[in-house]
Amino acid sequence: MSNPVQEKSQQIIPAVPDVVSLVQITDCHIFATAEDRLRGVNTRHSFEAVSKSVIDNSGHLDLLLATGDLSQDGSVESYTYLAQKIDAMDTATFWLPGNHDEVDVLKEQFIGQQIHAAKHVLIADWQIVLLDSTIRGEVHGRVSQIQLEFLDHCLRAHPEKHALVCLHHQALDTGSLWIDQKGLRDSDQLRENIARHDNIRGVLWGHVHQETHQTIGGVEWMSTPSSCVQFKPDSEEFAIGTEAPGYRHLNLYADGRITTRVHRVDGF
Ligand SMILES: [Fe+2]
C-alpha cells in the first residue's frame, strides 16, 4: 500500500473556466501483448475505441482520471503502451491503482508528459482526492487508516473547495453478490469519514465494470463501465454483461453541482 503523503501529493492546475470538464476511464486490463484478449475482448482495441470516443465527443477536457486495473498482467509493456496512448490524448491525467495492477511497475512505467502521480488535485473551485484501496495480492480492497487520514488532511486543508473522491473499489454495494464480496472491507469507515465532511459532492470508482449512480444526502455515488469487458448487473454469480465498453464524462460546477453521463462505444 503506497503512502500518498510521501508522494508528490498535491498538484495545482491553473485556473480554468466555471465548469471543470473531466473523463474517467477505468479497468482497461491491458496485456503485455497486442493479441491477448479478456473474455473475448481485445483490451487494446477497446481502449483505443474508448479513447477515440473521448476525443471525438468530449469537447474541451481539463482532466482525465484513470481509476485502476490499468493492466491485466502488471507487465512493463502494458503500462508503457497505455502511457503512450494516454499521452496522445493530450489531457492532464491522474491515476490510482486497482487490484490487477503491480503498483511498483505502474509507478515506474506509467510515465508521460501528461501523466501525474499527485493524489490531491486542486482545480478551479474543486479538489480531487485519489485514494489507494488496493491490498497487495488480494482482489478485495481496503481504504486503510493512512488513506482515510490523507482524505481528512486534504479536505481540512481546503474546506472552501468542493471535493470529488476517487478510488478503485466500490464505496457502495452494487447488488451483485459475487463482486460485492470482492469490494471494500472498510466501506462503512469510508462512508463515515465522507459524512463528516460537508464539502464532498461526489464519490467515483471502478472495479464493478458497470454503471451505477445514486444521489444520497447530496452526494453523487458513481461507478463506471470498464473500457473493455462488462459485468452483468444484479447477478448473484460471476457473469459477463452484453453492454459495450464505456467511460464517464463529468462536469463539475462552481456551485458544487455535478452533471455526468456514461458513454459507450460502438462496434463491440
Ligand atoms: Fe477490473
Side-chain angles (χ1 to χ4, degrees):
M1 176 91 52
S2 64
N3 180 350
V5 179
Q6 292 168 349
E7 294 178 357
K8 182 187 169 199
S9 65
Q10 188 181 85
Q11 176 134 352
I12 301 171
I13 306 280
V16 292
D18 285 349
V19 183
V20 177
S21 171
L22 66 93
V23 158
Q24 177 201 15
I25 298 178
T26 194
D27 295 86
C28 308
H29 292 270
I30 304 296
F31 291 91
T33 67
E35 299 78 29
D36 267 319
R37 291 167 178 259
L38 182 66
R39 305 274 165 184
V41 175
N42 183 306
T43 58
R44 293 193 182 203
H45 292 173
S46 64
F47 176 80
E48 287 164 22
V50 162
S51 73
K52 182 176 187 311
S53 176
V54 169
I55 291 165
D56 289 349
N57 298 312
S58 300
H60 171 77
L61 270 184
D62 297 299
L63 292 177
L64 274 177
L65 302 175
T67 53
D69 282 4
L70 306 185
S71 173
Q72 170 68 10
D73 54 17
S75 60
V76 169
E77 294 83 356
S78 63
Y79 293 118
T80 53
Y81 160 85
L82 196 61
Q84 197 181 26
K85 295 294 177 187
I86 289 275
D87 246 9
M89 295 174 76
D90 203 25
T91 302
T93 300
F94 297 84
W95 59 266
L96 55 82
N99 48 291
H100 275 274
D101 289 307
E102 284 291 336
V103 176
D104 294 340
V105 184
L106 170 56
K107 282 180 184 169
E108 281 172 16
Q109 303 294 335
F110 191 54
I111 304 266
Q113 292 286 322
Q114 296 287 358
I115 299 170
H116 305 277
K119 301 296 178 246
H120 186 202
V121 185
L122 302 179
I123 180 163
D125 299 292
W126 284 78
Q127 58 188 316
I128 299 168
V129 185
L130 297 106
L131 301 178
D132 180 354
S133 61
T134 62
I135 307 168
R136 194 177 286 257
E138 300 288 352
V139 176
H140 66 264
R142 187 183 300 279
V143 176
S144 85
Q145 203 54 40
I146 288 176
Q147 298 286 313
L148 291 172
E149 285 171 11
F150 176 64
L151 176 62
D152 287 341
H153 165 82
C154 294
L155 297 176
R156 273 200 305 271
H158 292 279
E160 79 287 1
K161 288 187 184 288
H162 309 296
L164 176 67
V165 179
C166 308
L167 69 165
H168 181 68
H169 293 83
Q170 63 267 46
L172 294 179
D173 282 350
T174 61
S176 290
L177 185 63
W178 73 273
I179 192 75
D180 289 336
Q181 286 173 340
K182 300 176 193 305
L184 205 59
R185 292 289 159 88
D186 53 356
S187 60
D188 289 350
Q189 184 71 54
L190 175 64
R191 290 196 297 270
E192 275 176 33
N193 279 51
I194 286 172
R196 283 210 297 269
H197 295 277
D198 59 10
N199 53 338
I200 296 179
R201 309 292 177 219
V203 186
L204 187 61
W205 61 90
H207 190 54
V208 297
H209 291 224
Q210 60 195 276
E211 176 185 4
T212 64
H213 186 175
Q214 296 185 58
T215 306
I216 305 171
V219 179
E220 311 297 336
W221 301 78
M222 300 162 280
S223 70
T224 295
S226 161
S227 71
C228 57
V229 174
Q230 310 306 307
F231 296 153
K232 185 179 177 189
D234 302 319
S235 179
E236 289 277 294
E237 298 178 345
F238 173 79
I240 297 297
T242 54
E243 297 82 2
Y247 60 95
R248 181 181 288 280
H249 182 260
L250 301 101
N251 285 318
L252 311 180
Y253 292 87
D255 63 4
R257 275 180 307 121
I258 296 173
T259 59
T260 182
R261 189 186 147 200
V262 163
H263 297 256
R264 305 272 182 175
V265 297
D266 297 325
F268 282 85

